[in-house]
Amino acid sequence: MSERGLVKICGLSTEETLEAALAAGADMIGLVFFDKSPRNVPMEVAARLAERARGRAGIVVLTVDADDALLDAVVSAVRPDWLQLHGHESPARCAELKARHGIRIMKALGVSAAEDIAAAAPYIAHVDRLLFDAKPPQGAVLPGGNGVSFDWRLLKGLDLGVPLMLSGGLDAVTVGEAVRIGGIRDVDVSSGVERGRGVKDTELIRAFVAAARRAVPGAAETAAEQGRSA
């Protein structure tokens, strides 16, 4: 866990919103490669956005049960710092991709009950970070970015030996309470900074980063470089 708390803005797809996230002090930016998502970004656009962000924030590529062909193409074109695996990827698949690409792995796991937290154990030895997101509503086509949350009390006092990140139903209003209740300082947002499905809003991005910083005492005084290398 970072002492200052990391802030990730996921699902960016335009230069304007990327620059808003970077100017606000986001530590990580997320680019989505999933055809069913309204945040899906063309490869050439993602590569261009990644170059603007490189050295200013960690670059995260989000995929959902992607095959080797897509992952090879994405890693080659975008050159991300992280692969965020947001599907049903097994611990073995995480280990395989980490070795294949020599890249840090963030595994997202859906949570609705305590047993979902326990299901994280097999991943610990094979990933660099775990992201706890709310399980999608019944019938949803997206594994994340649905604007729903879970009981943050399930995370209180949790220490799994790898850095943890919290997502699901966060926005500028709820992030402070989420950090206080769950005790996870590193946060990820997508729908909570949108004015429409898949459409990021620059003011909402700024407000979220500011609220996330206020949620962690002393965060605003800590150098942003710590987050970029985390």
Side-chain angles (χ1 to χ4, degrees), residues 5-95:
L6 304 184
V7 179
K8 175 172 168 281
I9 308 295
C10 197
L12 293 164
S13 59
T14 69
E15 293 183 1
E16 179 187 20
T17 54
L18 173 75
E19 288 297 334
L22 295 172
D27 303 289
M28 294 177 170
I29 60 99
L31 304 169
V32 175
F33 288 87
F34 183 49
D35 288 342
K36 295 179 181 179
S37 174
R39 305 163 187 105
N40 187 56
V41 62
M43 191 83 70
E44 63 274 12
V45 174
R48 186 169 66 247
L49 295 176
E51 284 310 304
R52 294 181 72 98
R54 201 170 309 282
R56 303 165 70 188
I59 301 165
V60 183
V61 160
L62 184 156
T63 64
V64 180
D65 298 316
D67 61 20
D68 286 342
L70 174 58
L71 288 168
D72 288 349
V74 168
V75 171
S76 176
V78 180
R79 297 190 296 124
D81 302 303
W82 291 82
L83 282 180
Q84 179 177 330
L85 306 178
H86 217 104
H88 297 92
E89 298 90 357
S90 67
R93 178 63 168 160
C94 293

Side-chain angles (χ1 to χ4, degrees), residues 16-227:
E16 179 187 20
T17 54
L18 173 75
E19 288 297 334
L22 295 172
D27 303 289
M28 294 177 170
I29 60 99
L31 304 169
V32 175
F33 288 87
F34 183 49
D35 288 342
K36 295 179 181 179
S37 174
R39 305 163 187 105
N40 187 56
V41 62
M43 191 83 70
E44 63 274 12
V45 174
R48 186 169 66 247
L49 295 176
E51 284 310 304
R52 294 181 72 98
R54 201 170 309 282
R56 303 165 70 188
I59 301 165
V60 183
V61 160
L62 184 156
T63 64
V64 180
D65 298 316
D67 61 20
D68 286 342
L70 174 58
L71 288 168
D72 288 349
V74 168
V75 171
S76 176
V78 180
R79 297 190 296 124
D81 302 303
W82 291 82
L83 282 180
Q84 179 177 330
L85 306 178
H86 217 104
H88 297 92
E89 298 90 357
S90 67
R93 178 63 168 160
C94 293
E96 174 191 353
L97 293 174
K98 184 177 175 68
R100 180 184 181 95
H101 297 289
I103 195 168
R104 286 172 286 185
I105 301 294
M106 183 188 313
K107 181 67 183 86
L109 297 171
V111 177
S112 64
E115 54 263 32
D116 299 315
I117 304 294
Y123 288 92
I124 293 171
H126 306 293
V127 302
D128 300 279
R129 178 179 290 275
L130 289 167
L131 183 149
F132 289 115
D133 196 358
K135 278 191 174 178
Q138 187 172 4
V141 298
L142 302 180
N146 293 296
V148 296
S149 62
F150 62 94
D151 186 351
W152 299 317
R153 292 173 297 180
L154 295 171
L155 303 176
K156 193 68 176 179
L158 189 64
D159 184 358
L160 297 178
V162 295
L164 306 177
M165 184 167 272
L166 172 62
S167 188
L170 301 182
D171 56 28
V173 175
T174 62
V175 66
E177 184 179 13
V179 170
R180 179 182 62 81
I181 293 174
I184 305 298
R185 297 183 173 197
D186 300 347
V187 294
D188 172 50
V189 69
S190 186
S191 62
V193 292
E194 293 178 348
R195 63 175 180 269
R197 191 72 164 161
V199 182
K200 294 292 186 287
D201 183 282
T202 57
E203 289 303 319
L204 292 177
I205 289 171
R206 295 185 188 104
F208 181 85
V209 175
R213 294 288 181 241
R214 289 194 299 271
V216 180
E221 289 74 39
T222 306
E225 187 59 34
Q226 176 180 344

